[in-house]
């Protein structure tokens, strides 16, 4: 998955993805199944991602992922409720990022040929430092978002976002840059 090679339906890698998904569903069910303290959520997130426990992470459940093994989160990150991290292609969230409600990170595409449609094409999503992703935004596979950028609520990000840019719309386009005068 991390090599970004095509994943053929029914292959050993594809079967591994199903097993990883079952593991992720069990752990996220524990995260989402009632009131948990931030310390408990941080511990479960650490177990889910195999990353060291981070006391600066703040996560509001419910949280969903279909793998968990390819998520890397920096320091002082906030993840609001209802987010979906499809992380087989890899998701990196830089220090100081704010992720709004019900944001979707989608790191897999399917082969466009109908006879190969079940095959998957993973590509990572990378957020730089201090990125703010507004509620209900969707970021698609292969996208890198530069430091300090803002993704407007409801945006669908299909291509890289420059550092300091404010993007919005479907597909997302640069609206302006932080510090630009109206």
């Amino acid at each position: 998955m991390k090599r970004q090679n095509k994943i053929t339906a029914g292959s050993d890698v594809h079967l591994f993805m199903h097993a990883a998904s079952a593991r992720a569903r069990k752990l996220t069910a524990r995260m989402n199944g009632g009131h948990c303290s931030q310390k408990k959520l941080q511990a479960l997130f650490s177990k889910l991602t195999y990353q060291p426990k981070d006391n600066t992470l703040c996560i509001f459940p419910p949280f969903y992922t279909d793998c968990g093994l390819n998520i890397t989160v920096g320091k002082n990150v906030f993840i609001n409720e209802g987010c979906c991290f499809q992380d087989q292609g890899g998701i990196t969230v830089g220090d100081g990022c704010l992720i709004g409600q019900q944001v979707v990170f989608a790191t897999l595409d399917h082969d466009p040929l109908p006879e190969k449609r079940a095959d998957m094409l993973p590509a990572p999503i990378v957020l730089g430092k201090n990125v703010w992703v507004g509620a209900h935004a969707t970021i698609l596979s292969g996208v890198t978002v530069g430091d300090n950028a803002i993704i407007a609520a409801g945006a669908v990000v299909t291509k890289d976002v420059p550092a300091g840019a404010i993007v919005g719309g479907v597909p997302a386009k640069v609206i302006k840059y932080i510090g630009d005068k109206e």
Side-chain angles (χ1 to χ4, degrees):
M1 291 184 292
K2 288 184 179 182
R3 286 182 273 173
Q4 300 175 35
N5 295 335
K6 179 191 251 185
I7 299 167
T8 304
S11 68
D12 288 343
V13 174
H14 190 233
L15 296 175
F16 172 81
M17 288 171 63
H18 281 277
S21 183
R23 176 188 169 276
R25 285 192 310 273
K26 286 179 186 175
L27 286 166
T28 57
R30 289 177 59 195
M31 292 173 75
N32 301 334
H35 178 73
C36 289
S37 69
Q38 279 301 308
K39 287 186 186 291
K40 179 70 172 176
L41 290 168
Q42 292 161 352
L44 288 168
F45 192 83
S46 172
K47 188 172 185 177
L48 175 70
T49 62
Y50 288 130
Q51 301 295 313
K53 184 175 178 277
D54 178 8
N55 294 327
T56 68
L57 172 67
C58 183
I59 186 167
F60 286 3
F63 173 81
Y64 304 99
T65 184
D66 56 359
C67 183
L69 302 172
N70 297 318
I71 300 172
T72 303
V73 175
K75 299 288 184 196
N76 298 304
V77 168
F78 173 71
I79 301 171
N80 212 329
E81 62 189 18
C83 289
C84 298
F85 282 41
Q86 181 197 55
D87 66 290
Q88 287 95 340
I91 298 171
T92 301
V93 178
D95 294 344
C97 287
L98 303 173
I99 312 299
Q101 290 178 322
Q102 298 181 349
V103 167
V104 173
F105 291 88
T107 66
L108 287 178
D109 285 323
H110 288 274
D111 194 304
L113 296 173
E115 64 274 12
K116 296 185 179 193
R117 188 76 36 92
D119 293 352
M120 291 168 280
L121 308 166
I125 294 170
V126 177
L127 301 187
K129 294 179 180 178
N130 302 309
V131 172
W132 173 19
V133 182
H136 299 273
T138 298
I139 302 175
L140 299 181
S141 64
V143 168
T144 296
V145 179
D147 293 349
N148 304 310
I150 298 172
I151 310 299
V156 177
V157 184
T158 61
K159 60 184 181 179
D160 291 352
V161 176
I166 300 171
V167 301
V170 179
K173 294 181 178 20
V174 174
I175 297 168
K176 67 180 195 171
Y177 285 86
I178 296 170
D180 283 354
K181 295 183 180 179
E182 296 289 322

